[in-house]
Every structure is written in structure tokens, then in C-alpha cells.
Amino acid sequence: MSRFADDRVLLPEPGKPPAAPRDVASDPAPGRLRVWWAGSDAAGYEVRWEGGGAPARTKLVATPDTQLDGLVDDADYKIEVRAVDSFGQRSEPTVVGGRPGRGDAGWREGLTGLLDEFRDDASVRSDVPGSLWHLSGYRGCVDLGARAPGEVGLPIDLGCGADEAVLRARQPLRLTESDGGLLGRFVVLTDAAGPGGRLTLDLVPGPADRIGAVRSTPHAGEDPTLPAGAIRVLVDDGGVRVNTGAGLDQRTVTAQVPPAVPARGGGVLHLFEVRVTTSGVFVLQDGRTVGVSGAVPRWSEASALIGMRGPQGRRSRVHVAAAGFSGPPAVAPSVVERSVNLATRQVLAPDAPAPALGISRRLLADALSARIVVTMTVSGAVDTSAATIQLGTDVLPAPPAVPGPPRSAGSTVTVIAEVPQALLGADGEALSPFVVRAPGAEPGVVVQESYLELSVATPPPPDSSRGADRASRDALPTLSIELGDSGGVPMPAPTVTPQGRLVVTVRLAGERSQWDTGAVAGVQGFQLWADGRMVASLPTSIGGPSPGGTYSIPLSLNGFTSGRHVLEARVIGVDGDRTSVLESFTVV
């Protein structure tokens, strides 16, 4: 690209090259290194590494935190990190060494209740007996992904850009007091808390598949959408907070939490640990305390849930590389699951008419025992404590998995009904209708998930379907345009006079673009078009591809006629990839 501006445009100029990154360090793990450094005002960073007999490799990242995969254990690697500004100018490198391998595996010690390192997806596939986890998610949106060569951890695809995947351990965490007042530890190694993502770690006194509300409480403390006794740790771009349901004791906690949010780059695994003690709850990220709460549970046994959500509106893939908890081991129930559809996703009132739709008896023919599990979102005055499931002519009690009073509107509640033995062990006609009912149900009470949990004498053949292999290439930074007045103040509905000017702010943000691959595609520059005519072209690769940045471009309105006008920004990557976005303004 070449630099160009017509008479109405003033292009920004590059400044001095950025300073070299500080405090670069590496953390080893089998086949990989996590590399991090002190953040700066740079638009991004270039990371170059070589070793293990392989050629040198380079990638651009937008955050001061990255993961290098596919490395040779016990080999020495040289890593160079350079700061990169929005014009592609590089700093001098800061060099650090690294040696992949087992590293500090101390966090594994004491995980006697459960330790799963997800070497394959067998522990999550609930179509055969012996799975350790139930995977909850909207059907067609959440699925186990096919692991690509070199990919680390269990991949879970979030294909609709708005849903959440939740893993529930089938065996419970059991609290036991040890030295220092430690009652229990819940540990997860995952990249789900990357830019724009969200990670929830829940401890729930009952086998609930999901808890809380889609929109979480913005501040730490008691959350009326959580069931009584629940402890929720929420990690997102805003930091770390601990929310609780009612019915927990509260202690005064004096531990200090750093004010800064630790870096979490896209595609980078971080170790999160929840420590439940007699003094409260402590949350650690990579061994560093990042959240505290004075909540102390009254229960001694709870279900452990891992909730994962990618950036809103964007298909994404999250990974869980390990998860476990302390305490006495328990035997996970040897069950299989069969997803079933209720006759309607609406929860019905006890006397409401039901559609004449049901389920086939063949699903129950080989079952020694069966349960129906339904997760719903409540609203209004619905009484989930009196919920029932109608299965043909039978009306089965379906109490909440976590006892307690009805939750507030928007809460998620799991109810469970035991299927009578009379309905098991033989073929027959379909059981119709098949609905869930609760007093006070109204149109806002909807079913999120429903399935049969079966204990069977003869296991069914495993489901051969798998999620698609989502191997992808680096994505360009996310592009947006903001129009401001002559002082740069944003104008939500730009209406201007011919004698004025606009400040066009072009933003190329790479944090979320590197979610899938851990890197962002390099930018060679962008163009600005007005009403189909190019008015500016700005190269951004003086010293090499840039990771994006923010660019303010004053635009004189001289020559623009009255009426609506369209601005378009076009970004061009070094590999020829392009993306564009439109914005409009009106001249009066």
C-alpha cells in the first residue's frame, strides 16, 4: 500500500518506535510454554521463538501473554518479544529462555477427589457408561470439537456466538478440613477466560446442571439468582468476583487482592484455583490471589461446575486441559444420557392443556433405572419446588436438584424426576404427552435442556458423530469506525454542516481476533472511502505487519452536499485478507 490523502483528509504520522517489553518470563508445561511480560502502550507484540531442532517461528499478539504449542519437552528455546506500534514499528527485542516439560506440577497434589487431564474426550462422552462429566449446552450450538494435531486440551465448540457450555462433575466434591483451615480445592486449567470470554466455577449443594442467570450480578456478594449455599467464581475482562447464594456464613477477610487484572491472552491456558477455607473463599490465577470472599459454606458436599463462554456474537472454541478437586474420592454413577425433546419448551401450569407429543418407550426398554433431568429458566411466581413431569398418564414429582425457595426471575433451575419401574424394561406405545409443569408457570418459563439419565445392563453403541475440525487461520483485527465532532467527541447520530469537520476514528482491535489461534493476522494498512471514492490510504507496516491500533483522521466536510453520506473503512492484511465496515453521516 502507498500513503495517500485527498485535500480534505489529514493522516496521522508515526512517532518513535516503542520501548522494549519488560519483565518477560516463561512458564513450562508438557509440550508448551506460556510467555508473559509487563503490559505497555504498544498496539501489540511480535513473538519469535526457536529451538528443539525446528525452524524459527513468529506470531503477532495483541495482549502481553501468549502460549507456544507443539514444542519438544526438555529442549532449550530462545524467545524474543518485541513491542509493535500501530504503524508496524518494532522495538528492540527482549530475550528469555524456556524449557518445555512437566514444570511445576504441584497444583496436582491433593486432587484426590478427581483429576481429569482430558487426554481424549472419553470422560465427557455421555453416550457410553463411565463418563466423568455432563456437558450442558444448547443443542446445535455446543459440541465437543475434533482435536487438531498439536491442539492442547479438550476442545469445546461454541458455534452460535451466544451460548455457554457447562461441565458438571458426576462425582461430588467433599470438604475435609486440613492444616491451615483448608476445606477443599477446585482447580481448572483452561483458556475460557480470554479476551471477551467468561469462566464460571460453581460449587453447588446439589446435582444442578446450571445455576444463576444469563446476565450475572455485576458486583461481588449475594446473588438472588443463585440457589441457597452456592458459591460462584466469575472471571471475565472485568476481573474476578465471588458471588454467593443465601445461607452461607460470612467471615471478615483481610487478604489483599492486586487491583490490576492479570493478562489473559486469547488461546492461552491459565490455572484457576478455588480454595474453600474456614476463613472464606480464595481464588488464584496461576498461583496468584486474584479474588477473595468471606463466605464459608455450611454444606459438606457439592457439585463442581465449569461454565465457559466465548466473546458475545462470535463463534469460538474453548479448551479445558485439566480439572479436579480435593477430598475423598467418590464413585461416579455409571450412566448414559439420551437427549429428549419435551412436547413444548414452555413450562406449563398444572392444569394447562399439553400437546399430544411424547417419547418412544424404546428409549427406556433396556434401562435398569431412569431419571428425567430438565433445566429451565424461571420467571415471575413459578414454584419450582412443586414441579412435576407428565409422562403419559403418569405425573412424576420433579423437585429441584438444589432444595430451597423459588429463585428470582431469570434464575436457572434443574429439576429431576425418577421414572417408575413400571415404565421400564418393555417396548410399548409412545408415552404422550411429555411435558414439565409447575404452579405459577407463564410464557417466560422455558426449558433450556432435557435428557434421560439411564442405568443400563447392555450399553448402547457409542455415538459416532463428532464436532467438526475447526482448524483456522489467524484473523484480522476487529474493525470499527466511530464518528466524532471537530474535537473528537463521539456523535451517536452524526448530523453536521458543510462548514464543519468530522474526526473519523478507525479502531483495529486484535484481542478477540486471536481467540481461536492465539495470534492475530498482520495488517499492512487500511483505506478510507467516502461515497464510493477513496479519500485516504494509510500503510501500517513500516517495520513489518502491525497488529492494529487506533487512528484518528480529521475529515473536512467541504464539498459534501446536503444529505446522507457513507464512509467505508477497508483493512488489508499482509496475506491479502480484507474486511470492511460502513458508517454514515448527514450534512444539513
Side-chain angles (χ1 to χ4, degrees):
M1 293 185 63
S2 59
R3 185 180 176 94
F4 165 77
D6 77 2
D7 294 339
R8 293 172 292 182
V9 172
L10 181 63
L11 289 178
E13 298 286 345
K16 294 181 179 180
R22 298 178 294 104
D23 305 327
V24 180
S26 67
D27 186 21
R32 66 183 186 272
L33 290 168
R34 183 173 69 88
V35 184
W36 73 99
W37 52 93
S40 68
D41 294 332
Y45 307 89
E46 181 182 77
V47 182
R48 182 183 186 276
W49 68 101
E50 61 179 329
R57 297 178 59 193
T58 302
K59 68 176 175 177
L60 278 174
V61 297
T63 52
D65 181 40
T66 191
Q67 182 170 300
L68 312 179
D69 292 318
L71 308 184
V72 179
D73 284 348
D74 300 320
D76 290 322
Y77 283 81
K78 176 185 176 183
I79 305 156
E80 298 178 353
V81 183
R82 292 173 170 84
V84 185
D85 70 9
S86 57
F87 287 88
Q89 298 181 113
R90 266 82 173 146
S91 72
E92 292 297 317
T94 300
V95 181
V96 69
R99 180 185 284 252
R102 194 67 176 175
D104 180 13
W107 60 268
R108 292 177 173 83
E109 296 178 5
L111 301 184
T112 50
L114 171 69
L115 176 58
D116 190 348
E117 298 194 66
F118 302 100
R119 291 183 172 86
D120 54 36
D121 62 3
S123 64
V124 185
R125 295 188 64 84
S126 57
D127 51 338
V128 292
S131 64
L132 301 178
W133 305 87
H134 167 73
L135 175 60
S136 174
Y138 190 78
R139 291 175 63 188
C141 290
V142 173
D143 196 6
L144 295 177
R147 192 179 316 199
E151 193 170 11
V152 178
L154 175 75
I156 300 175
D157 287 334
L158 306 174
C160 298
D163 202 59
E164 181 178 40
V166 181
L167 285 172
R168 172 179 59 84
R170 295 192 186 277
Q171 57 216 77
L173 176 149
R174 294 171 174 171
L175 300 182
T176 55
E177 186 170 354
S178 58
D179 294 342
L182 180 65
L183 298 173
R185 297 169 58 224
F186 178 23
V187 179
V188 180
L189 182 62
T190 180
D191 61 3
R198 191 181 88 166
L199 171 69
T200 54
L201 304 176
D202 298 327
L203 295 174
V204 194
D209 287 336
R210 288 171 175 255
I211 62 171
V214 173
R215 297 191 179 277
S216 59
T217 301
H219 304 290
E222 188 167 310
D223 181 346
T225 70
L226 297 177
I231 297 172
R232 160 162 285 186
V233 173
L234 193 151
V235 186
D236 59 15
D237 289 343
V240 178
R241 55 187 179 271
V242 181
N243 295 122
T244 63
L248 288 92
D249 297 327
Q250 294 290 331
R251 304 281 191 267
T252 300
V253 180
T254 59
Q256 298 296 314
V257 178
V261 178
R264 293 188 294 269
V268 182
L269 296 171
H270 289 276
L271 186 72
F272 297 92
E273 180 175 348
V274 181
R275 294 182 179 177
V276 182
T277 76
T278 55
S279 301
V281 176
F282 298 82
V283 185
L284 287 74
Q285 176 182 318
D286 301 316
R288 176 186 180 189
T289 301
V290 291
V292 297
S293 168
V296 178
R298 299 172 185 172
W299 44 260
S300 60
E301 184 175 295
S303 293
L305 280 63
I306 307 168
M308 296 157 283
R309 179 177 295 170
Q312 185 72 18
R314 185 183 188 280
R315 294 180 65 236
S316 54
R317 169 173 280 193
V318 297
H319 300 83
V320 186
F325 45 76
S326 61
V331 177
S334 182
V335 296
V336 297
E337 294 177 2
R338 286 292 179 264
S339 180
V340 291
N341 292 321
L342 296 164
T344 172
R345 288 190 62 209
Q346 296 289 333
V347 177
L348 303 179
D351 57 351
L357 298 171
I359 61 171
S360 170
R361 285 281 292 271
R362 286 191 292 273
L363 290 170
L364 302 167
D366 297 325
L368 302 177
S369 63
R371 305 199 305 174
I372 303 171
V373 184
V374 175
T375 298
M376 65 182 78
T377 301
V378 305
S379 67
V382 62
D383 183 6
T384 55
S385 65
T388 60
I389 292 177
Q390 183 176 354
L391 192 59
T393 58
D394 291 79
V395 178
L396 315 177
V402 185
R407 260 68 82 189
S408 64
S411 302
T412 302
V413 178
T414 298
V415 299
I416 302 173
E418 302 290 338
V419 178
Q421 287 289 321
L423 298 180
L424 307 179
D427 292 335
E429 296 181 357
L431 296 167
S432 179
F434 177 35
V435 293
V436 59
R437 300 180 181 274
E442 54 188 29
V445 185
V446 297
V447 172
Q448 293 184 355
E449 182 183 29
S450 54
Y451 62 94
L452 288 169
E453 189 179 84
L454 308 172
S455 174
V456 294
T458 304
D463 185 356
S464 60
S465 62
R466 293 289 188 94
D469 183 355
R470 286 196 57 224
S472 56
R473 58 191 299 181
D474 298 342
L476 286 169
T478 302
L479 170 63
S480 64
I481 297 178
E482 183 178 84
L483 301 184
D485 60 18
S486 59
V489 178
M491 303 172 64
T495 300
V496 291
T497 64
Q499 295 75 32
R501 74 171 184 175
L502 289 172
V503 174
V504 182
T505 301
V506 177
R507 287 191 175 89
L508 296 172
E511 291 88 350
R512 299 186 183 188
S513 299
Q514 65 187 50
W515 184 275
D516 284 340
T517 66
V520 61
V523 175
Q524 65 168 303
F526 68 89
Q527 300 167 344
L528 188 65
W529 294 64
D531 299 329
R533 176 180 170 223
M534 188 172 70
V535 296
S537 174
L538 184 64
T540 62
S541 53
I542 293 176
S546 78
T550 301
Y551 312 84
S552 294
I553 303 174
L555 172 66
S556 170
L557 300 176
N558 181 36
F560 284 96
T561 60
S562 298
R564 181 174 176 269
H565 299 272
V566 176
L567 290 176
E568 178 185 10
R570 300 178 183 178
V571 176
I572 297 93
V574 293
D575 294 329
D577 291 346
R578 296 172 181 239
T579 185
S580 66
V581 67
L582 302 176
E583 189 58 84
S584 65
F585 64 94
T586 301
V587 176
V588 295

